[in-house]
Amino acid sequence: MGEERRVHLSRSAPEAYAALRAFSTTVGRLAAEAGIDARLREIVQIHASQLNGCAYCVRVHVDGAVKAGLDADVIAQIATWRESGVFDERERAALELTESFTFIHEDGIPDEVYDQAGGILSEAEYVAISWVLVAINAFNRVAIAGRYPVPPRGAAGVVASDAAPPATTAPRSPHVHADGTA
């Protein structure tokens, strides 16, 4: 099947996609209640999307990161976070956890990662970040399977696309597509 005929999962089964979005909204609320700010949510979502090779979700979450106050240097450093000095201990623990969740098929969550993250993050933070990672990995798989194109930027630098609603894991105002539909 060529790209032009690729099944678009969110359009082909809108009720399933709506359930995933509702799940994501719940995860965003849990993250906010656990004190996970937009900066940290976007950092881990960008990194998971980078690791999975989901250009669509990288675009969506880079835009979210900019709205959360991250500058170009910090965003650029996410891919090389181990060598970078721009992330604090909590962010580094979350980035390590991101890699374990994204590549969970290799080693699960190794004890050293679990212990290191658990020594830095509270249980509520660990749980919230874990659910954020479950959600973004699910959205990455939907977008990658459907080969969703990277949406063009609108006039104000906002993602504008009718490809699919963004993979959000934080309560946000409804996303409006380029055609004006929510």
Side-chain angles (χ1 to χ4, degrees), residues 123-167:
E123 182 176 338
E125 290 171 325
Y126 179 91
V127 168
I129 290 169
S130 295
W131 281 114
V132 167
L133 294 169
V134 168
I136 191 58
N137 276 287
F139 278 111
N140 287 168
R141 279 144 182 78
V142 169
I144 292 167
R147 292 188 182 162
Y148 291 7
V150 175
R153 293 189 181 280
V158 176
V159 170
S161 173
D162 67 348

Side-chain angles (χ1 to χ4, degrees), residues 56 59-61 63-64 67 150-154 156-161 164 166 175-178:
Y56 178 89
R59 167 63 62 76
V60 168
H61 292 288
D63 286 349
K67 287 179 187 172
V150 175
R153 293 189 181 280
V158 176
V159 170
S161 173
H175 174 73
V176 178
H177 297 270

Side-chain angles (χ1 to χ4, degrees), residues 34-36 40 90 97 120-130:
I36 305 300
L40 184 53
R90 188 168 167 254
L97 198 56
I120 296 167
L121 303 170
S122 70
E123 182 176 338
E125 290 171 325
Y126 179 91
V127 168
I129 290 169
S130 295

Side-chain angles (χ1 to χ4, degrees), residues 50-128:
Q50 289 170 330
L51 296 171
N52 282 318
C54 186
Y56 178 89
C57 293
V58 168
R59 167 63 62 76
V60 168
H61 292 288
V62 163
D63 286 349
V66 170
K67 287 179 187 172
L70 277 77
D71 63 26
D73 182 58
V74 172
I75 294 168
Q77 296 294 319
I78 294 170
T80 58
W81 68 269
R82 281 188 176 83
E83 293 76 31
S84 173
V86 303
F87 301 103
D88 65 25
E89 181 181 50
R90 188 168 167 254
E91 292 166 340
R92 295 173 72 76
L95 284 161
E96 187 75 53
L97 198 56
T98 300
E99 293 182 2
S100 291
F101 264 88
T102 303
F103 299 124
I104 202 160
H105 63 281
E106 293 177 2
D107 296 316
I109 307 297
D111 290 341
E112 60 274 7
V113 172
Y114 182 84
D115 293 344
Q116 187 246 356
I120 296 167
L121 303 170
S122 70
E123 182 176 338
E125 290 171 325
Y126 179 91
V127 168

